[in-house]
Amino acid sequence: MLVADSRYVVHIPDSLPLDATAPLLCAGITVYSPMKHHNMLQAGKKLGVVGLGGLGLIAVKFGKAFGLHVTVISTSPTKEREAKERLNADGFILSIDPKQMQATSRSLDYIIDTVSAHYSLGPLLELLKVNGKLVLVGAPDKPVDLPSFPLIFGKRTVSGSMTGGIKETQEMLNLCAKHNITSDIEIVQPNFINDALAWLARNDVRYRFVIDITSKSELS
């Protein structure tokens, strides 16, 4: 019999499917924790979400659940349809288009940056209003560029966040149950694990992989 200390476990609400809930214990709490800590839960405020991967998808869902005006910021124009039509995002900014970036200058209260790539934070800071907050939850393997002028002149804040504790994770799961929020996943059979790793290496992954351990198929 397995025994776990109650201080280190969470209860998954009955309404949440286990497979689509599992990634919330990583991606979900990673974006929920800074949103709560930085008071990004105020309905009507404007949130920008950089990147529409595993973290970004959940950040958009949380933003909509909290009643925020959510704008997705991406380098890929193909993400606009998914952001607006499937996730009901209120806006989309193609970050490689200078005209779009200029047109939306000083329009956002908060930004959550989920991208794990090296680039300058200067253009993102310009999207924030005075006293706006930019939170990094992605983990680039090289230091990011942080220009001083858009930071100083806008009295903006840049911070980082990793994850949350058990109490906060339970709070996050309860909120997901209330608003029917789950992760977007792709079910992978065990005999396709090697293929999944190849897709990952090619960056050909749309949603989080979940391995179907109930399958009787053998590993390839």
Side-chain angles (χ1 to χ4, degrees):
M1 181 176 64
L2 297 177
V3 178
D5 192 306
S6 61
R7 294 174 296 173
Y8 306 112
V9 297
V10 293
H11 171 259
I12 297 179
D14 293 337
S15 61
L16 294 177
L18 295 181
D19 53 3
T21 298
L24 293 176
L25 301 177
C26 177
I29 189 59
T30 297
V31 294
Y32 176 76
S33 182
M35 292 183 78
K36 179 183 178 182
H37 178 75
H38 293 285
N39 199 26
M40 298 182 184
L41 314 182
Q42 304 175 64
K45 292 289 187 177
K46 295 187 175 182
L47 170 71
V49 177
V50 184
L52 203 57
L55 295 174
L57 287 164
I58 299 299
V60 172
K61 293 180 180 183
F62 281 157
K64 295 300 295 184
F66 297 147
L68 279 73
H69 181 284
V70 180
T71 296
V72 172
I73 305 164
S74 176
T75 59
S76 174
T78 61
K79 295 288 187 177
E80 181 171 7
R81 183 174 181 179
E82 181 174 18
K84 290 184 175 180
E85 295 183 9
R86 197 175 71 81
L87 297 174
N88 200 30
D90 302 284
F92 182 88
I93 301 173
L94 185 62
S95 58
I96 59 175
D97 185 336
K99 291 184 178 180
Q100 289 191 30
M101 294 292 283
Q102 179 63 35
T104 49
S105 175
R106 297 200 174 197
S107 63
L108 304 174
D109 297 290
Y110 321 108
I111 292 177
I112 291 183
D113 185 352
T114 71
V115 175
S116 296
H118 172 261
Y119 61 97
S120 175
L121 297 180
L124 292 181
L125 289 172
E126 296 287 6
L127 297 178
L128 288 170
K129 298 176 182 178
V130 173
N131 293 318
K133 299 176 181 179
L134 168 61
V135 180
L136 305 177
V137 294
D141 58 359
K142 296 180 180 179
V144 296
D145 295 330
L146 182 59
S148 58
F149 286 113
L151 186 67
I152 294 171
F153 290 154
K155 295 184 178 180
R156 300 168 177 118
T157 300
V158 177
S159 64
S161 182
M162 184 177 179
T163 186
I166 292 297
K167 181 179 180 180
E168 201 168 55
T169 299
Q170 185 64 65
E171 183 179 295
M172 179 271 302
L173 287 173
N174 293 341
L175 181 143
C176 287
K178 179 180 179 180
H179 295 279
N180 194 30
I181 295 174
T182 56
S183 298
D184 296 283
I185 61 173
E186 294 183 60
I187 302 295
V188 177
Q189 301 299 323
N191 58 316
F192 283 98
I193 289 179
N194 291 336
D195 297 291
L197 291 174
W199 300 332
L200 185 63
R202 295 197 305 267
N203 198 26
D204 185 22
V205 179
R206 188 174 184 185
Y207 302 123
R208 293 289 179 112
F209 287 143
V210 173
I211 308 300
D212 182 8
I213 61 174
T214 64
S215 173
K216 296 181 180 180
S217 56
E218 297 180 356
L219 294 178
S220 59

